[in-house]
Amino acid sequence: MIARHLSAEEVGVSLIYVGVTALTASLILEIAAPGKALDAGMLSGIYSHKNILGFMLSIAFTANLYAFAFRKIWVKYAIGLFLLLGIYRTDSTTAMLACVFSAAIVSYLRLHSKIVSRSGRTVLTLTMLAFTAFVLDTILNESGTILSLLGKSPTLSARTGIWEFVTHLWLQQPWNGYGFGAVWSDGSPMRVFIQESLRNPAATHAHNGYLDVLLQTGIVGALTFFCLILSIFVKAWKTIGVTSQASSGLPFALISFMLFYNVAESRFYNPAGWAVIIIASICVNVMSAHKPNIRSKGVRITL
């Protein structure tokens, strides 16, 4: 009988290792065989693969924002800089913005943990929400200027056309959708139809997780799925500060990250996205299912 401790710290460090390993392997392949790396979908690879790598690296960056497991602070900053350089190299604007969003969330959680009074935390939360609304309003009103500074087209790399077409398809079958996994699988008639209609071979998903959920599983599936996400989100919020460890906010940061990232990418019904949701759910249950005096030690599991 082998007993070990499972904790959110270990989960977070595992996410960091996955991101660092993926980036290191990508760099080695790109340096060793730059021509073949294009076909393999590495840093200079095809569009969809670059976005997948950017997603992995931004998740690792979010986990790295917590200082746990690193005895020397410079290690944390070195890893964070390495991941940021990799994200920049993928040219994924969504991943870059997600890193900024995660940094804001983590800063908020740290301030929240330092405020004892409920009224003070309420003021902080309202201030954070007001700031978020201001930023979103600025982005919407000044989208042209912001996109030009980022070197992006007004169509968000042809996303707006995909969103409009996908919305049109969903409205034709709003309640049940077209079936989970039946729209974007390789060789799917629906996928071929969308690509040919838009004349866009990069239309391999809706490029918006919320639209993608509606398109595949309709309103019924969307309600079921987002009730699941909401339950994890609420539980994650309640576990913030239940331990003295910085990782108590990791599940909330991961779910918040997913909610943000899916505005411009489809990761809810993606294997990588499902993995992040499951990881956040495991962390939440590990911290919430045990008494406060043993939470900081993790949960003992007998294998």
Side-chain angles (χ1 to χ4, degrees):
M1 302 294 287
I2 301 175
R4 63 164 282 120
H5 292 286
L6 174 67
S7 65
E9 285 81 359
E10 292 175 321
V11 173
V13 172
S14 297
L15 291 173
I16 297 171
Y17 284 159
V18 168
V20 171
T21 301
L23 178 54
T24 302
S26 300
L27 287 171
I28 292 174
L29 180 56
E30 186 177 27
I31 293 172
K36 295 181 179 179
L38 290 173
D39 296 329
M42 293 298 111
L43 290 176
S44 298
I46 60 175
Y47 181 76
S48 61
H49 286 197
K50 286 199 302 179
N51 281 356
I52 292 173
L53 181 59
F55 176 75
M56 294 173 60
L57 298 184
S58 53
I59 282 288
F61 178 81
T62 299
N64 188 62
L65 289 171
Y66 296 92
F68 51 76
F70 301 124
R71 294 182 179 180
K72 297 181 179 180
I73 194 67
W74 67 266
V75 176
K76 170 189 172 182
Y77 289 115
I79 292 176
L81 180 60
F82 182 57
L83 292 171
L84 282 177
L85 289 175
I87 292 170
Y88 174 77
R89 186 66 180 85
T90 63
D91 195 33
S92 173
T93 304
T94 306
M96 296 178 195
L97 292 176
C99 290
V100 175
F101 177 79
S102 291
I105 288 293
V106 172
S107 299
Y108 163 74
L109 293 177
R110 287 179 177 173
L111 287 173
H112 188 274
S113 65
K114 293 180 179 180
I115 299 175
V116 179
S117 66
R118 179 175 296 180
S119 59
R121 290 184 172 183
T122 301
V123 171
L124 176 65
T125 301
L126 293 176
T127 302
M128 181 69 177
L129 291 174
F131 176 75
T132 302
F134 170 76
V135 171
L136 291 176
D137 182 67
T138 302
I139 291 175
L140 292 174
N141 292 329
E142 302 295 336
S143 58
T145 303
I146 295 173
L147 289 172
S148 63
L149 291 174
L150 295 174
K152 300 296 180 179
S153 65
T155 62
L156 300 174
S157 301
R159 280 177 172 81
T160 54
I162 298 175
W163 294 343
E164 183 178 356
F165 194 76
V166 166
T167 302
H168 172 72
L169 289 177
W170 165 63
L171 290 175
Q172 294 182 18
Q173 200 162 319
W175 290 102
N176 298 324
Y178 293 88
F180 179 78
V183 181
W184 303 110
S185 58
D186 292 337
S188 165
M190 179 63 74
R191 174 174 168 175
V192 173
F193 170 70
I194 294 174
Q195 290 176 335
E196 291 181 349
S197 299
L198 295 174
R199 297 180 181 178
N200 184 357
T204 55
H205 55 82
H207 289 277
N208 179 288
Y210 302 91
L211 283 176
D212 199 37
V213 170
L214 287 170
L215 181 68
Q216 294 193 60
T217 55
I219 295 175
V220 175
L223 288 175
T224 304
F225 176 76
F226 286 113
C227 281
L228 169 66
I229 296 296
L230 180 61
S231 67
I232 300 174
F233 184 85
V234 172
K235 288 183 178 179
W237 173 257
K238 291 181 179 179
T239 58
I240 295 174
V242 297
T243 76
S244 59
Q245 298 167 337
S247 61
S248 66
L250 180 61
F252 182 82
L254 290 178
I255 291 298
S256 299
F257 172 92
M258 286 296 294
L259 293 173
F260 178 87
Y261 203 91
N262 276 273
V263 172
E265 294 291 342
S266 298
R267 292 291 178 265
F268 281 135
Y269 280 175
N270 176 276
W274 270 112
V276 174
I277 293 171
I278 292 171
I279 288 170
S281 179
I282 290 174
C283 290
V284 165
N285 285 282
V286 163
M287 287 187 288
S288 63
H290 296 271
K291 296 179 181 180
N293 62 340
I294 64 172
R295 279 174 180 163
S296 60
K297 299 180 181 178
V299 55
R300 184 176 294 275
I301 295 180
T302 302
L303 302 178

CSV table of all heavy atoms in Angstrom, one decimal, residues 46 191 202 209:
chain,number,residue,atom,x,y,z
A,46,ILE,N,1.5,25.4,-38.7
A,46,ILE,CA,0.2,25.8,-39.2
A,46,ILE,C,-0.6,26.5,-38.1
A,46,ILE,O,-0.4,26.3,-37.0
A,46,ILE,CB,-0.6,24.7,-39.9
A,46,ILE,CG1,-0.8,23.6,-38.8
A,46,ILE,CG2,0.2,24.1,-41.0
A,46,ILE,CD1,-1.7,22.4,-39.3
A,191,ARG,N,-18.3,20.3,-41.7
A,191,ARG,CA,-17.0,21.0,-41.7
A,191,ARG,C,-16.6,21.4,-43.1
A,191,ARG,O,-16.2,22.5,-43.4
A,191,ARG,CB,-15.9,20.2,-41.0
A,191,ARG,CG,-14.5,20.8,-41.1
A,191,ARG,CD,-13.5,20.0,-40.3
A,191,ARG,NE,-12.2,20.3,-40.6
A,191,ARG,CZ,-11.1,19.8,-39.9
A,191,ARG,NH1,-11.3,19.0,-39.0
A,191,ARG,NH2,-9.9,20.2,-40.3
A,202,ALA,N,-9.0,27.3,-42.7
A,202,ALA,CA,-8.7,27.4,-41.3
A,202,ALA,C,-9.9,27.3,-40.4
A,202,ALA,O,-9.8,27.4,-39.2
A,202,ALA,CB,-8.0,28.7,-41.0
A,209,GLY,N,-15.7,29.5,-28.1
A,209,GLY,CA,-16.1,28.4,-27.4
A,209,GLY,C,-17.6,28.4,-27.1
A,209,GLY,O,-18.3,27.4,-27.2
